[in-house]
Each structure stands twice: as structure tokens, then as C-alpha cells.
């Protein structure tokens, strides 16, 4: 795969690659050398600002927000800057920029790590979507009443409790999966 790189690099990047004394033999080594050569301090600052200002948009799912969040973390890691975030800072940033209705549900439980916060946010989002769907169905068939609203609220609480219990059982597996995206401390 690296044999094709000289054919794709043009201009300054091509010259840089041609003048390397020992061209990298592996992708990670190439990527690190390339980023080190062509990334300036402004890029690092821009990425850090983007990470500190990332927010879950009103129409955005937790999964989409998590994708943006992880992408920025990976890019910051790739730059090998001196700016590293602790696990607590990453957790705080993820929770703080969730949609308001999700923050209220995730924060009272004070998750210990990002994997739990992610799962809680996904579960609450799903419960909210299910409750909203039920409300829409009831509105469509004209059965909206105080009793129906109370039943929907009870169902939402049951779903939340179920998922909270499921999270506690799945914690070790989720924590292991998350570790591959976390920055070094």
C-alpha cells in the first residue's frame, strides 16, 4: 500500500516524501511523519477549540454526536500535541454538550466513565423517542388524555430503569471497547 504513496503526493508533499532518508514502511509511521511535517500549531489549536466547543445538535442522535466527538479525539491524538485530556475531562465534555433533555437524565446518575455515559445517553434517547412515538400515535387516533400521558410517563420510567440495570451488567465490556478511543494520560 505504501508503494503507491509517491504517485499520489504532489508538490511539497511529494518533494518531502522523495527526500526522506528512510521512507516509512508502515502506514502508522507514514501518517505520523506526514502529520508532523505538514501540521502547524494553528491546526492543533483549531482542533482543540473544536473539541471544547462540540455540541450535540437538536436533530442529532447520540450515535452521530459520538462519531463527531471520537473523530476529533482521534485527530488530536494523531497530532501528538502536548495537549492531552484526562478521562474525566473527556467524560465531562461528552456529557456537558449533550442535548439538554439528555443531560438531565445522564447527570443525576453521575457515570464513572465515558462508556456508561454513552450507553445512558443512547438508552434515554431511545426511551424519549419511544414515548414521543407513542404520543404521536395517540394524537393521530385521537386518544390523547391525561391517563394516556401518565401511562406514557410510566412506560418511559420503566424503560429507563431497565436500561440502567442493563448498563450495570454491560459495564466491563463497554469500558474495554471505549479504551481504544481514549487519549493517553
Amino acid at each position: 500500500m505504501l508503494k503507491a504513496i509517491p504517485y499520489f503526493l504532489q508538490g511539497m508533499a511529494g518533494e518531502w516524501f522523495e527526500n526522506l532518508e528512510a521512507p516509512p514502511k508502515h502506514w502508522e509511521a507514514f501518517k505520523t511523519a506526514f502529520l508532523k511535517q505538514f501540521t502547524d500549531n494553528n491546526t492543533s489549536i483549531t482542533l482543540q477549540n473544536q473539541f471544547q466547543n462540540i455540541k450535540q445538535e437538536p436533530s442529532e442522535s447520540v450515535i452521530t454526536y459520538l462519531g463527531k466527538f471520537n473523530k476529533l479525539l482521534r485527530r488530536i491524538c494523531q497530532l501528538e500535541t502536548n495537549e492531552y485530556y484526562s478521562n474525566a475531562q473527556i467524560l465531562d465534555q461528552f456529557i456537558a454538550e449533550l442535548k439538554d433533555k439528555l443531560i438531565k437524565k445522564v447527570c443525576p446518575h453521575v457515570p464513572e466513565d465515558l462508556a456508561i455515559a454513552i450507553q445512558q445517553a443512547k438508552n434515554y434517547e431511545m426511551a424519549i423517542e419511544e414515548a414521543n412515538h407513542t404520543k404521536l400515535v395517540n394524537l393521530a387516533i385521537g386518544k390523547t388524555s391525561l391517563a394516556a400521558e401518565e401511562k406514557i410517563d410510566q412506560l418511559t420510567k420503566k424503560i429507563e430503569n431497565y436500561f440502567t440495570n442493563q448498563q450495570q451488567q454491560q459495564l466491563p465490556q463497554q469500558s474495554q471497547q471505549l479504551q481504544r478511543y481514549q487519549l493517553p494520560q
Side-chain angles (χ1 to χ4, degrees):
M1 176 159 113
L2 293 181
K3 291 178 182 178
I5 287 177
Y7 300 106
F8 292 99
L9 296 178
Q10 298 176 359
M12 290 176 49
E15 289 176 30
W16 164 79
F17 191 79
E18 286 176 13
N19 293 323
L20 287 174
E21 290 179 19
K25 296 183 189 289
H26 302 285
W27 175 252
E28 286 301 317
F30 168 75
K31 185 170 68 171
T32 301
F34 186 85
L35 289 172
K36 187 180 252 184
Q37 178 67 29
F38 292 103
T39 303
D40 61 9
N41 194 34
N42 290 338
T43 302
S44 175
I45 292 169
T46 299
L47 289 175
Q48 291 170 22
N49 285 338
Q50 286 175 355
F51 180 70
Q52 292 168 357
N53 293 308
I54 191 171
K55 293 182 187 299
Q56 183 184 16
E57 300 300 325
S59 62
E60 195 171 53
S61 71
V62 171
I63 297 296
T64 303
Y65 169 60
L66 179 60
K68 287 190 325 189
F69 191 87
N70 283 337
K71 182 179 179 180
L72 278 172
L73 275 177
R74 282 192 301 271
R75 289 184 67 197
I76 291 169
C77 281
Q78 289 172 347
L79 293 180
E80 296 183 2
T81 64
N82 293 329
E83 181 67 36
Y84 288 109
Y85 297 99
S86 70
N87 289 341
Q89 289 172 308
I90 293 170
L91 174 63
D92 289 346
Q93 182 66 23
F94 177 80
I95 292 172
E97 302 307 333
L98 285 168
K99 294 177 199 174
D100 287 342
K101 62 185 175 183
L102 293 178
I103 292 174
K104 293 173 187 172
K105 296 293 184 177
V106 174
C107 285
H109 303 317
V110 190
E112 293 182 17
D113 71 14
L114 187 57
I116 294 173
I118 291 167
Q119 194 60 48
Q120 284 178 344
K122 287 174 14 183
N123 294 341
Y124 292 132
E125 180 178 65
M126 190 167 58
I128 290 167
E129 287 174 3
E130 182 65 29
N132 288 339
H133 175 73
T134 303
K135 287 179 185 179
L136 289 174
V137 169
N138 285 337
L139 281 172
I141 59 175
K143 292 187 176 179
T144 303
S145 67
L146 183 58
E149 292 290 326
E150 288 174 1
K151 286 181 182 179
I152 291 169
D153 290 340
Q154 290 172 355
L155 176 63
T156 302
K157 287 178 184 173
K158 286 181 182 180
I159 292 170
E160 289 173 355
N161 289 335
Y162 170 78
F163 285 120
T164 300
N165 292 336
Q166 290 295 317
Q167 291 167 9
Q168 298 304 320
Q169 295 171 5
Q170 297 173 354
L171 173 62
Q173 178 185 9
Q174 292 168 349
S175 292
Q176 289 173 349
Q177 291 172 346
L178 177 67
Q179 287 176 349
R180 63 185 160 141
Y181 294 114
Q182 291 180 337
L183 293 167
Q185 292 186 20

